[in-house]
């Protein structure tokens, strides 16, 4: 939806207006991306693989991963997850910090959606080979499989920490870089170094 994209992009740009102190830079470039990867991991692991009817909806993507209508996260989930993250920041630090946080969150969301779409619809993209391989190892078609792995999408760090990482992802040279809970970059760097 172009309107949705425009609104989110506008809010994201507003966050740059408030980048006036080291604290806001830390929120924008460190806290928010780390929280994005953490919530992305848990939302995918718990909600999308264990909670009906969300699991049923998510597995439509597992069964038909190249269907673009099933790749993107529904707006309801995006707003819900961002509110879970945004509310405590707003109550603890105020409006400006919340806007900076939300702006970074939106950029992480766009990065997630683009990377996810690219992994399924642009398989020859050499720059996103690391994220694509990590994600494809996750794609089981067995609805009742209790041993699904690689729940993080933009980051492998939480899968490594919580022992849900596929062994083919763990046994790479420089895999210590994957412990960095930052969106996409560690997966790309490890792939380039191997």
């Amino acid at each position: 939806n172009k309107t949705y994209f425009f609104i989110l992009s506008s809010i994201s740009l507003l966050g740059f207006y408030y980048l006036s102190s080291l604290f806001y830079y830390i929120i924008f470039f460190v806290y928010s991306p780390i929280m994005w990867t953490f919530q992305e991991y848990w939302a995918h692991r718990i909600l999308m693989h264990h909670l009906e009817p969300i699991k049923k909806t998510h597995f439509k993507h597992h069964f038909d991963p190249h269907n673009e209508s099933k790749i993107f996260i529904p707006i309801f989930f995006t707003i819900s997850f961002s509110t879970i993250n945004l509310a405590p920041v707003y109550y603890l630090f105020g409006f400006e910090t919340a806007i900076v946080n939300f702006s970074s969150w939106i950029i992480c969301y766009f990065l997630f959606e683009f990377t996810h779409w690219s992994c399924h619809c642009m398989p020859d993209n050499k720059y996103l080979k690391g994220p694509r391989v990590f994600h494809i190892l996750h794609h089981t078609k067995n609805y009742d499989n209790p041993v699904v792995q690689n729940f993080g999408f933009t980051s492998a760090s939480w899968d490594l920490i919580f022992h849900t990482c596929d062994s083919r992802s763990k046994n790479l040279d420089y895999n210590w870089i994957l412990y960095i809970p930052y969106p996409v970059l560690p997966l790309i760097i490890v792939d380039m170094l191997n």
Side-chain angles (χ1 to χ4, degrees):
N1 186 323
K2 291 178 184 177
T3 305
Y4 174 61
F5 180 80
F6 176 77
I7 291 168
L8 288 179
S9 298
S10 300
I11 294 169
S12 183
L13 291 174
L14 180 62
F16 286 100
Y17 175 78
Y18 292 110
L19 284 177
S20 59
S21 70
L22 179 61
F23 176 72
Y24 289 145
Y25 278 92
I26 291 170
I27 293 291
F28 192 88
F29 291 105
V30 180
Y31 170 78
S32 293
I34 290 171
M35 284 306 297
W36 169 268
T37 62
F38 185 73
Q39 280 189 267
E40 171 194 89
Y41 171 84
W42 283 109
H44 191 185
R45 182 175 177 181
I46 301 301
L47 299 179
M48 296 181 185
H49 281 269
H50 295 287
L51 187 67
E52 296 290 355
I54 298 170
K55 179 181 177 182
K56 186 175 184 177
T57 302
H58 178 62
F59 263 77
K60 289 178 183 176
H61 169 60
H62 274 252
F63 294 132
D64 191 7
H66 301 295
N67 182 334
E68 290 188 34
S69 70
K70 295 174 176 61
I71 289 176
F72 299 100
I73 295 178
I75 189 169
F76 170 77
F77 292 124
T78 306
I79 292 170
S80 300
F81 297 141
S82 61
T83 303
I84 290 167
N85 179 52
L86 190 61
V89 172
Y90 174 77
Y91 287 113
L92 290 172
F93 301 107
F95 176 78
E96 289 180 9
T97 307
I99 288 296
V100 169
N101 178 57
F102 191 53
S103 297
S104 178
W105 193 264
I106 292 168
I107 291 169
C108 290
Y109 166 72
F110 286 157
L111 181 63
F112 165 84
E113 291 290 22
F114 172 76
T115 306
H116 193 210
W117 174 82
S118 296
C119 286
H120 290 294
C121 299
M122 293 176 45
D124 297 329
N125 185 326
K126 66 180 180 177
Y127 300 107
L128 294 175
K129 182 181 173 218
R132 182 178 60 253
V133 169
F134 184 78
H135 183 61
I136 296 304
L137 291 172
H138 165 77
H139 263 268
T140 180
K141 289 187 167 114
N142 183 347
Y143 191 76
D144 297 315
N145 183 3
V147 192
V148 177
Q149 296 178 309
N150 293 9
F151 293 102
F153 181 75
T154 61
S155 172
S157 59
W158 305 111
D159 283 294
L160 289 162
I161 291 166
F162 295 113
H163 306 290
T164 56
C165 192
D166 184 280
S167 62
R168 292 167 285 187
S169 302
K170 289 191 288 194
N171 297 327
L172 299 170
D173 292 335
Y174 308 100
N175 76 335
W176 60 269
I177 295 171
L178 295 176
Y179 280 93
I180 301 169
Y182 211 79
V184 181
L185 289 176
L187 289 164
I188 292 172
I189 292 168
V190 169
D191 180 61
M192 289 171 45
L193 293 173
N194 276 286

